[in-house]
Amino acid sequence: VRSEVKAAARQSWKKVIAEIVIEPRWAEALDNLDEFSHITILYWMHRSSGEPPVKIHPHGQKDLPIVGLFSTRSPNRPNPIGKTVVRLLERRGNVLKVQGLDAIDGTPVIDIKPYIPGNDSVQDESVDGATVPEWVRRIHEKHS
């Protein structure tokens, strides 16, 4: 990843523009990817270290309940694999220009997949989509 973001910080990643540089030998594997508006990026959070706690306050906010680590999006994980959906702005050979990648400069990319709405979003006819706890809604309201 090439990005102006050099260190993880609590920030809005939605507007961050970054480049994903693929090894030249894999450039042809990117053919037709630019027909998709969004792609899913899996990456290794290479600066995460140490044993993460089992329970945390989401976003480190003491006013939120203590919850299990796996019910959060904390970057401190037993296996620090990150996943995000980004807008694909442009492809130039082996370089993808994206918007919304929540990875810092130098982050190794593990895989790239096209975002396909029917496969990658919850489409449950019996319920109005996915449900989340109240504290998640509070975080999203605060960061919107």
Side-chain angles (χ1 to χ4, degrees):
V1 171
R2 279 194 224 152
S3 174
E4 290 186 15
V5 180
K6 306 297 182 197
R10 298 258 184 255
Q11 65 180 9
S12 173
W13 293 92
K14 292 177 185 178
K15 295 184 180 178
V16 172
I17 306 294
E19 292 183 334
I20 299 170
V21 182
I22 305 301
E23 291 181 33
R25 69 185 181 117
W26 293 108
E28 283 187 58
L30 298 173
D31 286 354
N32 306 94
L33 189 62
D34 51 357
E35 294 175 17
F36 293 87
S37 65
H38 291 77
I39 56 178
T40 300
I41 307 299
L42 297 171
Y43 55 92
W44 189 257
M45 294 181 279
H46 63 297
R47 291 204 185 152
S48 290
S49 63
E51 185 78 17
V54 175
K55 297 246 189 187
I56 63 169
H57 288 283
H59 287 249
Q61 296 177 4
K62 302 292 183 200
D63 61 321
L64 297 177
I66 293 178
V67 298
L69 175 68
F70 292 132
S71 67
T72 73
R73 300 291 298 247
S74 169
N76 283 337
R77 311 201 73 80
N79 289 305
I81 297 170
K83 173 187 173 259
T84 193
V85 174
V86 298
R87 177 174 292 281
L88 178 56
L89 302 174
E90 177 184 5
R91 176 201 171 189
R92 293 181 323 276
N94 66 321
V95 178
L96 301 174
K97 185 176 180 181
V98 300
Q99 181 179 356
L101 181 60
D102 58 349
I104 62 174
D105 187 60
T107 298
V109 171
I110 299 171
D111 199 5
I112 300 167
K113 300 178 183 304
Y115 177 85
I116 301 172
N119 293 18
D120 296 319
S121 59
V122 175
Q123 301 289 325
D124 186 347
E125 295 175 12
S126 64
V127 186
D128 283 331
T131 60
V132 297
E134 183 274 332
W135 60 265
V136 172
R137 285 192 290 277
R138 288 190 354 220
I139 290 170
H140 281 276
E141 288 170 2
K142 189 179 213 177
H143 293 287
S144 294

